[in-house]
Amino acid sequence: MRLLLIHADYIEFTALEPAMPNPERIESQGKKERVEECLVAFTTVEKSDEESPEEVAKNAASTILEHAASVKATRVVLYPYAHLSSSLSRPESAMEVLKKTEDALRGTVEAVRAPFGWYKSFEIKCKGHPLSELSRTITAAAREKAAEAAEEAAPRSEFLVLTPEGEEFRIDFASPETFLSLKVEPPLIQLIKNEAGMKEERGAPAHVKLMKKLELVDYEPASDIGHFRFYPKGTLIKDSLEELAYDIAVRDLRAFKIETPFLYRLDEPDIADQAEKFREKDYRLTVEKREFCLRFAGDFGLFRMMKGATMSYRQLPIRVYELSPSFRLEQSGECVGLKRLRNFTMPDLHCFCADLEQGRKEYAELFSKYTRLTQSMEIEYAVAFRVVKYFYEEHRDWFVSLLKMVGKPALIELLPEMKHYWVLKHEYQAIDSVGGNTQLVTVQLDIEDAARYGIEYTDESGKRRGCIILHSSLGSIERWMGAILEQAAKDQAKGKPPMLPVWLSPIQVRVIPVNSTFVGFAKDLAEKVAAEGFRADVDDREESVSKKIREAEVDWIPFVLVVGEREALSQPPSLSVRIRGEGVKSTDFPGLIASLRARVGDRPCLPSYLPIMLSMKPRFA
RNA sequence: GCCUUAGUGGCUCAGCCCGGCAGAGCGACGGUUUCGUAAACCGUUGGUCGGGGGUUCAAAUCCCCCCUAAGGCUCCA
């Protein structure tokens, strides 16, 4: 038997005239019947069902009921529909099976059966959620067999944990004891638990509130879901992260920086091909009768640019960097704070290599750079590799050498066969304050796309050959922001004062004059700090010192200086600085600058986006 | 997209169950205070109760539809 199940807002049908000599006798000819909020089962009884109608009916009913329960439908419409199979049973058998199925449904749900043997008109409104349309084949044999067959068709991945020492531990998601007892760091265990589907009810990740409270980022109701506004402080953090990505990609890795359009024509075959992979996840728009989509990654324009490039083996590997604002039409229920957005910024780095050997060398290079990047973000993370099994087995030692760089064990997923365009990828996953994980950095080793998109170089013998491509992202800028806020929330839960890394703090130094007499002195000091390249402001408001200190703490400002008569007159000059998490210390100006410099390290430090006098700053949130 | 929960001055929230004058704290504004390491004091201002429809003499409160957010499901090339 064939079933087509549709979860519908309603179905209306009218039996018009007999479709065969002996149709089912009915009284409702010509009368419209309407059923609301139901699961419609279009049903075709096949020749092979004639042998055991009881079994087929029973199995069909249980499949339908199972699905009705999962979509929470309490009404089922059994609709005879001959067009799902070419091997139809005799009408009498079909009637029998349908009636038996209907009987088996009764009691659990409200069952309606459309008349058999009539030409019918019908109108249906399908709900359109992922489970709303589904087809099933029912046989007399136990239904489990069909399920097993389906599983065999999509063989499962195997999982293991690999340590930097080269030890392997097989793990089985179905038996938690195989990984819960492993002596590895908590973030990795948490990642494995999440992948194994061991999810407890968790609250909202902390960054959703923090991003508003700290006046960084907020929802913009006048835009679409998942498009955010960035206040000056949030913009400063975003720009700083982008600057770091630029430093790594362009200054460090000497990548060529490019820019490509956001909008692409869908009548270009290669664009349509890439869009096709993403199906319903792209934004489409029609302009002057031409259909376009917004890019979901930088690949669209990059691949076209590289297709037109003439490359010699002597120039490879070639690295290309683009900071790509990207658009993905994620399901509305899936957008969460800074973790999953419809508009986000991806620092994409692609490397075009001559062969697999060079590809692996590049991979290791990126792996090393990105490991340092992740470590400098001061967050907890876990490492996961996804790799086609044969590739892992051939290059096992190489994987161990990668893990030595990061100094952590990793989760390895072994895919039985090439399922995607890559043979290998890895991810750095941050663990948030409620135990969820967020993918940050990723590098993918792609051995297929070059051929598909015609990205070629000329080898020593003058032959044109396809490149090996490394796709990598330094991690969406917004996700990094989220992960950094999550880390702060985790620190707070452990009793530490929450803070941002100093290089990302929108205001790094606040100077608080004890009264209005010292505002000028405070301003001079703040300007001196700014001249050294750090972000400082003065709380010149008419408030008590205690209150200003409290607000500086609530704003997570890492360095707070209170200045008054003591500082203004001290000889030699001295300062009293309140360092977040460390209490009040006595120092002098060079000492203050040295502390700042030590904390910022070699990371970018942009100028402040806020007025130097706090009284001049409006409140955004 | 589905299910659940939530939406009340700029912010955090009370009021909703059981319909009867829309409340508090913070902020902002005005004034007093000139202050030394986590909230000085007094006053003023500010609300289409997310939007629309319905029931009712009367709706923030009850009913229906929609929007937005969070959790779960599904999804995550």
Side-chain angles (χ1 to χ4, degrees), chain A residues 313-328:
Chain A
Y313 72 97
R314 278 184 301 238
Q315 296 163 340
L316 301 183
I318 286 173
R319 298 167 180 158
V320 183
Y321 173 67
E322 179 169 15
L323 184 69
S324 318
S326 303
F327 301 85
R328 296 187 186 180

Side-chain angles (χ1 to χ4, degrees), chain A residues 425-441:
Chain A
K425 72 164 176 170
H426 82 272
E427 300 148 6
Y428 279 179
Q429 300 261 5
I431 305 297
D432 67 27
S433 54
V434 288
N437 55 287
T438 309
Q439 178 183 314
L440 297 168
V441 169

Side-chain angles (χ1 to χ4, degrees), chain A residues 32-84:
Chain A
K32 188 186 271 183
E33 284 196 61
R34 181 181 171 104
V35 185
E36 309 245 6
E37 289 298 321
C38 55
L39 182 66
V40 181
F42 291 99
T43 312
T44 309
V45 183
E46 297 177 283
K47 199 99 206 153
S48 55
D49 300 333
E50 291 182 0
E51 288 168 25
S52 39
E54 303 277 348
E55 284 294 303
V56 171
K58 203 179 101 201
N59 290 339
S62 83
T63 297
I64 293 169
L65 287 175
E66 197 175 286
H67 192 62
S70 75
V71 298
K72 301 209 167 73
T74 57
R75 274 186 285 269
V76 171
V77 177
L78 212 51
Y79 197 105
Y81 196 71
H83 319 290
L84 297 172

Side-chain angles (χ1 to χ4, degrees), chain A residues 511 520 522-532 534 536 538 589 612:
Chain A
V511 188
K523 190 171 179 231
D524 288 346
L525 184 57
E527 278 167 353
K528 268 171 73 190
V529 172
E532 296 287 336
F534 299 99
V538 177
F589 186 76
I612 193 160

Side-chain angles (χ1 to χ4, degrees), chain A residues 33 36 123 173 204 314 355 507 574:
Chain A
E33 284 196 61
E36 309 245 6
E123 181 177 322
F173 285 168
R314 278 184 301 238
D355 51 32
I507 294 293
S574 80

Side-chain angles (χ1 to χ4, degrees), chain A residues 276-530:
Chain A
E276 178 58 30
K277 285 201 266 174
F278 234 61
R279 277 179 296 254
E280 323 240 306
K281 279 211 165 182
D282 47 10
Y283 273 96
R284 304 242 163 151
L285 63 161
T286 305
V287 180
E288 291 172 343
K289 292 187 188 158
R290 183 167 265 166
E291 225 194 326
F292 292 89
C293 73
L294 288 174
R295 67 176 182 195
F296 49 77
D299 302 28
F300 281 100
L302 171 71
F303 284 4
R304 291 188 63 92
M305 190 184 283
M306 296 316 287
K307 187 183 174 182
T310 310
M311 292 188 279
S312 146
Y313 72 97
R314 278 184 301 238
Q315 296 163 340
L316 301 183
I318 286 173
R319 298 167 180 158
V320 183
Y321 173 67
E322 179 169 15
L323 184 69
S324 318
S326 303
F327 301 85
R328 296 187 186 180
L329 200 57
E330 300 287 354
Q331 292 181 72
S332 60
E334 269 313 311
C335 295
V336 185
L338 292 165
K339 190 169 165 177
R340 187 82 75 88
L341 296 168
R342 284 187 174 177
N343 172 23
F344 56 96
T345 314
M346 291 284 270
D348 284 329
L349 182 68
H350 286 78
C351 305
F352 299 87
C353 304
D355 51 32
L356 193 57
E357 214 33 55
Q358 194 174 58
R360 272 174 49 212
K361 233 176 114 191
E362 273 295 279
Y363 197 103
E365 172 89 19
L366 293 190
F367 188 89
S368 141
K369 283 283 185 306
Y370 292 180
T371 299
R372 274 179 35 212
L373 161 75
T374 309
Q375 284 167 348
S376 81
M377 293 290 189
E378 305 169 20
I379 62 166
E380 292 174 334
Y381 62 97
V383 189
F385 282 89
R386 324 273 168 193
V387 52
V388 179
K389 197 171 176 184
Y390 83 86
F391 191 88
Y392 177 76
E393 282 164 356
E394 272 176 33
H395 304 286
R396 208 181 145 278
D397 291 344
W398 181 68
F399 281 92
V400 174
S401 74
L402 293 179
L403 288 189
K404 284 209 163 72
M405 288 183 203
V406 63
K408 282 166 172 282
L411 172 67
I412 312 258
E413 175 176 0
L414 295 178
L415 301 147
E417 60 200 34
M418 275 292 277
K419 205 168 143 192
H420 310 291
Y421 53 85
W422 43 264
V423 278
L424 158 68
K425 72 164 176 170
H426 82 272
E427 300 148 6
Y428 279 179
Q429 300 261 5
I431 305 297
D432 67 27
S433 54
V434 288
N437 55 287
T438 309
Q439 178 183 314
L440 297 168
V441 169
T442 183
V443 183
Q444 303 170 346
L445 181 60
D446 173 359
I447 55 175
E448 282 191 349
D449 276 350
R452 184 162 15 183
Y453 299 113
I455 299 170
E456 296 174 324
Y457 69 99
T458 311
D459 72 6
E460 289 120 303
S461 58
K463 258 195 259 152
R464 295 181 70 75
R465 295 177 54 169
C467 293
I468 296 286
I469 305 176
L470 293 187
H471 303 250
S472 80
S473 162
L474 284 80
S476 121
I477 301 290
E478 291 79 2
R479 283 189 168 185
W480 276 116
M481 281 180 76
I484 285 161
L485 291 172
E486 291 298 327
Q487 185 63 41
K490 286 202 287 183
D491 289 345
Q492 188 169 30
K494 284 186 212 148
K496 288 199 274 178
M499 62 189 295
L500 299 171
V502 173
W503 70 283
L504 288 173
S505 295
I507 294 293
Q508 292 162 324
V509 180
R510 170 152 300 159
V511 188
I512 298 177
V514 294
N515 63 46
S516 50
T517 329
F518 297 99
V519 169
F521 179 78
K523 190 171 179 231
D524 288 346
L525 184 57
E527 278 167 353
K528 268 171 73 190
V529 172

